[in-house]
């Protein structure tokens, strides 16, 4: 297999900038939920690196759980607006303060569909924290309470985000070459 360097157009967000911003988000969340307990929900697989770094900066009692969704009826780089639950949560959301942790909000369809589903489970509160926001691509309005970086309309990979399922393990966010 080709090394990622041949697939990388540029490093968009280097590791130190990512980690600094994640520490800030963790501090902000800790202040906002002072005196409360918190449940973080991570959407697999893209959000997993972000979640595990973020929780290290959260000082209130926190539990986390995972769910996997897939969008269908679209190509690998396009979101269709319909999601299927591949793996559901194990914990109950009832009367809990919940934050949904995502790698990237692009068109917004995925988050909108997941939020609609989670609202039916009666959390005490439900917010969204996304590391990346491709705001110029938005097709549906989604509430983004915590946001790491607003990024341009380019296909990115690394730090949880894949390029054909590989390179999620890179510690930075890179822009993929267009061929
Ligand atoms: P949305 O439903 O907001 O359009 O899409 C969200 C999902 O699309 C993300 O969770 C992610 O899986 C995928 N996605 C959107 N933009 C990118 C990108 O630039 N790179 C990668 N690897 N995935 C992306």
């Amino acid at each position: 297999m080709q090394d990622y360097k041949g697939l990388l157009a540029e490093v968009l967000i280097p590791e130190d900038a990512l980690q600094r911003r994640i520490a800030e988000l963790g501090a902000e969340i800790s202040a906002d939920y002072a005196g409360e307990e918190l449940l973080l929900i991570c959407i697999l697989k893209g959000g997993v690196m972000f979640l595990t770094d973020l929780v290290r900066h959260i000082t209130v009692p926190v539990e986390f759980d995972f769910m996997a969704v897939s969008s269908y009826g679209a190509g690998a780089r396009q979101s269709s607006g319909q999601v299927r639950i591949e793996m559901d949560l194990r914990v109950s959301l009832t009367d809990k303060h919940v934050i949904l942790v995502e790698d990237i909000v692009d068109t917004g369809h995925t988050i909108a569909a997941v939020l609609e589903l989670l609202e039916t489970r009666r959390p005490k509160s439900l917010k969204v924290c996304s590391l990346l926001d491709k705001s110029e691509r938005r097709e549906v309005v989604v509430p983004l309470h915590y946001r790491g970086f607003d990024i341009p309309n380019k296909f990115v990979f690394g730090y949880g985000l894949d390029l054909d399922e590989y390179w999620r393990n890179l510690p930075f966010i890179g822009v993929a070459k267009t061929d």
Side-chain angles (χ1 to χ4, degrees), residues 8-86:
L8 180 70
E10 59 169 320
V11 173
L12 186 66
I13 311 171
E15 182 175 3
D16 57 345
L18 266 181
Q19 292 300 334
R20 265 201 310 276
R21 184 72 189 114
I22 292 167
E24 285 173 5
L25 288 171
E28 198 182 330
I29 290 170
S30 302
D32 290 353
Y33 290 86
E36 306 282 357
E37 289 166 22
L38 188 55
L39 168 63
L40 298 191
I41 293 177
C42 172
I43 304 182
L44 295 172
K45 303 170 201 169
V48 75
M49 309 276 277
F50 178 39
L51 174 91
T52 56
D53 281 338
L54 181 66
V55 287
R56 286 174 237 226
H57 298 283
I58 293 181
T59 51
V60 299
V62 64
E63 58 175 330
F64 48 84
D65 199 11
F66 300 90
M67 67 188 296
V69 301
S70 62
S71 40
Y72 50 96
R77 294 189 178 194
Q78 279 289 316
S79 183
S80 63
Q82 289 177 299
V83 296
R84 176 169 36 219
I85 302 215
E86 304 282 355

Side-chain angles (χ1 to χ4, degrees), residues 21 24-25 28 50 128-135 138 144-151:
R21 184 72 189 114
E24 285 173 5
L25 288 171
E28 198 182 330
F50 178 39
V128 178
C129 175
S130 182
L131 180 64
L132 306 176
D133 181 10
K134 245 190 231 179
S135 54
R138 198 74 85 254
L144 240 186
H145 308 91
Y146 303 99
R147 172 174 84 155
F149 300 87
D150 193 32
I151 64 164

Side-chain angles (χ1 to χ4, degrees), residues 43-47 69 71 76-81 83 102-112 132 134 137-140 151-158 160-164 168 174:
I43 304 182
L44 295 172
K45 303 170 201 169
V69 301
S71 40
R77 294 189 178 194
Q78 279 289 316
S79 183
S80 63
V83 296
E102 254 286 41
D103 51 354
I104 187 166
V105 181
D106 185 19
T107 63
H109 288 298
T110 307
I111 280 285
L132 306 176
K134 245 190 231 179
R137 291 250 309 158
R138 198 74 85 254
E139 289 175 9
V140 288
I151 64 164
N153 182 14
K154 293 178 174 172
F155 195 83
V156 293
F157 69 107
L161 292 125
D162 74 305
L163 199 54
D164 300 326
R168 295 183 193 272

